[in-house]
Amino acid sequence: MPIQNAEIAALLSQEAELLEIQGANPFRVRAYRRAAQTIDALPRSVASVLAAGEDLTALPGIGQDLASKIAEIVKTGHFAALDDLKREVPGELATITALPGIGPKRVSQLHRELGVRTLDELRRAVEGGRLHGLKGFGARIEETLRTALAKPPAETRYKLSSVEQEVDALISFLKPTVGGGRIAAAGSFRRRKDTVGDLDLLATSNDAAAVGARLVAYENVAQVVAHGPSRTTIVLRSGLQVDLRAVANASYGAALMYFTGSKAHNIALRKLANDRGWKLNEYGLFEGERLLAGESEEAIYQKLGLSFVPPELREDRGEIALARGGALPNLVALADIRGDLHVHTTWSDGTASIEQMAEAAKARGYEYLAITDHSRRLTVAHGLDATRLARQIDEIDRLNAGLHGFTLLKGVEVDILEDGALDLPDSILSRLDLVVAAVHSHFELPREAQTTRIVRAMDNPHVSIIAHPTGRLIGQRSPYDLDFGRIAAAAAERRCRLEINAAPDRLDLDDVHAYAAKEAKAVLAVSTDAHAPTFLEWMRFGVDQARRGWLETGDVVNTLPLSKLRKSLRH
DNA sequence: GCCGTTTTCGGCCCGACTGTTTTCAGTCG
């Protein structure tokens, strides 16, 4: 099986780690990191890009040298330069740099002077008091190490939806200290990434120190990592790290921009500033000492000759070049969504009646709502057989007669069986307005079989949408093995839509896949998969991911008004 | 190692905080 992008990226990252420990040119290290990031976010597999005879040097941050190294990895499955490097620098040293307070310099020193190569050896060195007298290692660092070694920090990311609750609580807690100033969440949270590693808060206040002091006093603080006059870092009991930065009002935009990131986007912007002989930092855009812009992000982008880049696009995936030409996509927004095309009711495993779901959808200002209960194979969810589905169709017809300015669409979420056949006969599917098809079993099929299975399901002309196409559950279940390029191309050909499932623990497709789907000219549907009326609110999480995938209204089928949606569904 | 509407060589984002030091290196974001 061809090597996956994530594996290539991991090899490049390892190379960067070891080069850094070795003391290599930091820009060379960065080049490997950047290449790893580019490959990781690439919508198509590198193997298929190469197979198509395309040139990797077209990708940002990949030149001749890296292109040939990546080609070597794809061809042989090995990275000779990394293997060589591992002979000079033990690969396990990289695990030690993950400890707080220990970076490449100290790890290299530990290796050089104490022969430490692994976490275990480090633990023995600390316990044996062998760090005493080591230059640059004082009592505090030793204590930090002792703590970290006893309980290694788990690399966890938190679901966007759960961080959102924490943000609301923190902001209302800190609000009293900012006076007339502002407070906002930035970082990957503001970029609406599906998961958040740590939370970045920004405040403007006349009394910056007071904001930090208040954060340290927050009841859920488990640890204060750093606490200075303008920056405070704490860890909450939940394990979530919170970084607070306070600046003056005149720097709000610059600080928001800096703290929103991404890091790669910032570096690219600062380089643009440099090219003009200016300097960009979290306090503003400067020509010498003179402030050119700083209070708003808009003004800074404008000065740099760019249109405003929505936070969701700030990943250095080509957005800066487009912003220079004023050619950024006009991203889909929550207000563009006219209905939900995937919800459940008490007819299967939902908790509310069709009427209650319709009521909630109407209250959201929707024009339509598709009722898509499970099919018979999903017995645990009381899936519908053809007979019950026929009764539900009659029930919806009856309800529609009493509704005004709002329409219930007749649908189903039909199981895709192991061989790609559907769980209900065409005779009943043909009576529906739309058919959502989904994989709920046999997640372990090999890539070829899984891909063919889903393409076969799309071969059925009744199938309108493939639900949660990769099957991932964030933090719980990996996506099943798929050739997503084939899925997206097949969807485009058959005019079958691919879903962005907005449920916070799915967000499936994710941003990168959504982008790839658009590239393949497939159309998407953003749906909540709500099993209760309140969960219709999840739509915004789906729209967030759609925006991160560069989608515009034309890419999302449920931005269409009802009449056009109906035409589209008929093909 | 990458990259060029000043450049194919010489740059490469920038600052806060900590700890261990007496002026700064390392780490982090």
Side-chain angles (χ1 to χ4, degrees), chain A residues 144-181:
Chain A
T144 307
L145 275 181
R146 217 180 275 280
T147 314
L149 284 167
K151 186 170 163 285
E155 167 61 26
T156 27
R157 295 188 65 85
Y158 298 80
K159 282 182 282 189
L160 182 60
S161 58
S162 52
V163 174
E164 200 167 73
Q165 294 168 24
E166 200 78 74
V167 166
D168 292 343
L170 271 166
I171 287 188
S172 34
F173 178 77
L174 294 173
K175 196 107 196 171
T177 59
V178 301

Side-chain angles (χ1 to χ4, degrees), chain A residues 78 92 140-141 150 186 189 237-238 276 317 386 462 477 514 559 567:
Chain A
H78 285 280
E92 309 91 89
R140 299 294 293 272
I141 286 182
F189 178 81
R237 288 208 194 105
S238 63
R276 289 164 166 74
R317 293 178 188 163
H462 297 301
R477 186 172 75 206
T559 60
K567 273 185 206 144

Side-chain angles (χ1 to χ4, degrees), chain A residues 342 413 416 436-440 443 450-451 453-455 458 465-473 477-484 487-488 491 496-502 506-510 513-514 517 522-527 529:
Chain A
H342 182 172
E413 179 181 7
I416 300 174
V436 175
V439 165
H440 290 120
F443 299 128
Q450 194 71 280
T451 305
R453 172 191 189 187
I454 294 173
V455 171
M458 288 192 278
I465 299 172
I466 298 295
H468 40 76
T470 80
R472 74 152 175 183
L473 291 174
R477 186 172 75 206
S478 297
Y480 28 76
D481 202 3
L482 278 183
D483 179 347
F484 187 72
I487 298 279
C496 178
R497 295 132 206 99
L498 298 176
E499 181 181 85
I500 293 178
N501 189 294
R506 287 193 183 270
L507 298 179
D508 176 15
L509 301 177
D510 67 13
H513 283 118
V523 171
L524 293 101
V526 184
S527 307
D529 202 351

